[in-house]
Structures are given as C-alpha cells and as structure tokens.
Amino acid sequence: MSAPVLDLSDNTNCYGAPPSALRALGIVATVLKDSSMLGGDDVTRYPSATADALRAALARMHGTTSDRITTGCGSDGVLDAAVRTLVAPGATLAHPDPTFSMIPELVSRNRLVAAPVPLAGDGDIRADLLLATGAAAIYVASPNNPTGTPASRAAIARLAASGETLILDQAYADFTSDASLDLALARPNVLVTRTLSKAFGLAGLRVGYAIGDPALIARIEAARDPYAVSAVAERAACAVIERDLTWVRERAAEAVRDRARLAAALTACGFAPLRSEANFVLVPVRDALACAGRMRERGVMVRAFPALTGIGDAVRITVAPSPALERAVAALAEAAR
Ligand SMILES: *Cc1c(COP(=O)(O)O)cnc(C)c1O
C-alpha cells in the first residue's frame, strides 16, 4: 500500500494544532450534545460583531491596546478590508514581484492598477522603486511568499518613514529573527497584518488580524464584515493566545531547524533553494508544472510557480518534520531528473 499523500503545498503547520485549541473545540462539541449546558451558544448565537475577546487577547500578546487591532476571516479577510479601505478603485497598489498570490486577486476584484516592482537580486525589496511608483498604497510581505526572503530592516524603515500607506504582511513573522514590527508600529501610515494560519496551526478556523494606528484601524473596522470571526474560531484562538504561546514558539523553532535541514538536503542534491526565513523553501527547477506533477505521482504535493520574475520556474515546499522532509527531497530529486 502506498503512503498517504503528503501535502506540502500551502505552508500550513505540519507540526500539528495547539492542544489548547483542540481542547476548546472538544468542549464546544461536548456542550452541544447537552443543550442544557452553557456554551452551545457558540453555535446557536451570533459571535461578537467585532471579535472583542480576540482583540483583547491579541492586544495583551503584543503589549498594546484593542483599539490598535482589527480581525478578520483569515488575513485574507483583513487584507481585503484594508485594500478596499485604503486604495480607491482606479488607484495604484505597488508591490514587490513576485509576491503573495492574493494580491493580483485583490487588485482585479477592486479594479485597482498594480505596480509590480521586481525584487533585488538578494531577495530584498527595492524601497526607492516602490516609492517612485507614486502608488496610493504599498503592499510588502516579509518574509515574502513565494520566495521566503525577508525585506531588510533598512528597506522597511525607509517605507515606514516615507509617510506613504504601507501594508506590511507578516504572515511568517514567527519563523524569522527580526520581523521589524517595532519600526512599523511607530508610524501611523503602517498596517501590519498577521495570521493564525501558519505558526499557530489554525488555518482551517480562518483567523487573521492587523495592528496599526487607532485611526487607521477604525477605518478598516468600519469596512470589515461584522461577525467575520466565528465564535468557535474566536474561542480556539483565544485559548492558544492565552495558554499555548510556548507550544507555538517551540513548533516554530522546530520548523526553523527543519528548514535548514531541508535546504541542506536540497543543496546536497544539486538544487539551489532561495534563502528562506519562512516555513517553506522555494526551489528553482526546470518546468515547475511538470516537476510538481511528477512529485504528485510520488505522493508529495507542492506548489508550482511557472516563470517567476527574476527567478524563472520554481516549486515551493512547506517545511515538515522527518520523515516527510526526506520524502519531499527524494520526490523532488526523482521528479527533476
Ligand atoms: C498564508 C498567507 C497569508 C495567510 O492567509 P490567511 O487568510 O490568514 O490564512 C497571508 N499572507 C501571506 C503572504 C501568506 O502566505
């Protein structure tokens, strides 16, 4: 019998879900079976329209106040509300190229004009060229998806200090040593988005948030869908933030160690993976679609990226613990042959 399919295509947490979240979900399920108990409300009643318990928990985690936090259905939901609020139809959104696949989607959905700016050779963003576009807002993911490369502290500082509206997507902040959150938060023009989908292991529950100046946050809260975070998701997210940050940090540290092992194993096979500070590695290959197809035949799912600007074809592999890591390397080595 062949081994089950190994899905390394979307950078979710291959180390599991936090125990406190699973306990919270278990309690909701138990309570639902006995309608006389408190807690079934999580399913039969509406949640808080603005996820107030979650905002309070996130504010405590970041040492700030709730008026600096907005939440959404994943950070995709937060990005959607932010882009709708900050960039009017017909206006320009500048972003590094390549970047997160949701950005072209948000550009077309909101009838914006995209101003893509190629990354520098070392994977850093080009702050001067992004500013030179004269865009209504600049989006930067750091570490970036799909490259895994971080923007330098100097480049983020330059954008933050420019006064231009900056959406800084830190979905992978937990896997890097310097997310430059301090630089971003010192400025009223910067919105930092984060997610519980990656290091926090809750992608299926769809919880994202953003931190920023209270005036900026108030505008986005007004544009966001009410009840965007379900009561069940909010309960699980609060449990993790209040009780399981050690679990999150330890699993992220494991992923960082496994990322180095994955990169080393790939290099030993003759590949040249990009220097990643996220929980995935981008590997340039010939014919990414065919390569990913052959890996799929070997039971390993990765994401194919044909013709990335400045990189060419590449496959993106999510970091996973052994023996998944070795299986992925073997599948790629055979598929790329
Ligand atoms: C995965 C990812 C997200 C997270 O999306 P959610 O909607 O929170 O699951 C956001 N930004 C980037 C760059 C990502 O790679």
Side-chain angles (χ1 to χ4, degrees):
M1 224 186 71
S2 58
V5 173
L6 180 59
D7 187 349
L8 304 178
S9 67
D10 56 12
N11 310 335
T12 46
N13 198 325
C14 294
Y15 299 77
S20 59
L22 299 179
R23 267 197 307 278
L25 296 175
I27 290 166
V28 171
T30 307
V31 160
L32 272 172
K33 284 186 211 143
D34 178 356
S35 55
S36 67
M37 287 172 70
L38 288 172
D41 284 3
D42 278 356
V43 173
T44 58
R45 307 287 304 244
Y46 281 102
S48 150
T50 48
D52 295 337
L54 177 60
R55 286 164 68 212
L58 290 165
R60 275 196 299 280
M61 178 169 81
H62 286 293
T64 185
T65 47
S66 290
D67 60 346
R68 291 179 176 271
I69 298 200
T70 182
T71 60
C73 180
S75 48
D76 286 355
V78 177
L79 288 169
D80 178 62
V83 166
R84 258 189 298 113
T85 307
L86 302 173
V87 195
T92 301
L93 178 68
H95 61 82
D97 179 28
T99 196
F100 186 33
S101 55
M102 268 305 285
I103 295 309
E105 174 64 32
L106 288 175
V107 163
S108 77
R109 200 190 282 173
N110 293 293
R111 298 185 167 75
L112 311 181
V113 178
V117 173
L119 290 168
D122 60 359
D124 199 359
I125 56 168
R126 298 186 189 178
D128 288 339
L129 293 183
L130 287 164
L131 289 170
T133 61
I138 299 169
Y139 167 89
V140 171
S142 180
N144 187 38
N145 181 2
T147 59
T149 48
S152 65
R153 207 174 154 79
I156 292 174
R158 173 111 176 67
L159 293 180
S162 72
E164 299 301 327
T165 299
L166 172 64
I167 301 171
L168 184 60
D169 183 337
Q170 298 193 336
Y172 301 101
D174 303 276
F175 306 104
T176 180
S177 47
D178 176 18
S180 305
L181 182 65
D182 54 327
L183 287 178
L185 294 187
R187 305 282 178 172
N189 54 308
V190 183
L191 184 77
V192 175
T193 64
R194 296 243 177 145
T195 178
L196 270 56
S197 296
K198 307 289 161 60
F200 282 71
L202 300 182
L205 295 183
R206 314 301 304 126
V207 182
Y209 64 101
I211 322 174
D213 191 71
L216 187 62
I217 291 293
R219 287 172 63 199
I220 297 167
E221 275 280 300
R224 143 200 199 281
D225 291 330
Y227 315 117
V229 179
S230 78
V232 173
E234 181 172 27
R235 192 174 285 276
C238 286
V240 178
I241 293 162
E242 277 152 18
R243 294 198 274 283
D244 255 346
L245 290 181
T246 304
W247 184 96
V248 172
R249 284 194 199 107
E250 286 174 356
R251 296 298 84 69
E254 247 182 281
V256 167
R257 287 193 293 273
D258 288 338
R259 178 178 76 204
R261 295 173 53 223
L262 176 60
L266 290 167
T267 306
C269 291
F271 296 103
L274 273 66
R275 182 181 57 89
S276 170
E277 292 205 8
N279 68 337
F280 58 84
V281 172
L282 188 73
V283 192
V285 294
R286 243 178 310 140
D287 197 344
L289 287 169
C291 180
R294 287 193 292 269
M295 289 181 77
R296 181 70 183 77
E297 285 163 17
R298 288 162 175 78
V300 179
M301 286 167 72
V302 297
R303 186 67 56 88
F305 291 91
L308 289 173
T309 302
I311 296 168
D313 276 31
V315 293
R316 191 191 66 197
I317 308 175
T318 305
V319 172
S322 295
L325 187 154
E326 288 76 14
R327 225 180 119 191
V329 174
L332 177 58
E334 287 172 23
R337 203 175 272 153

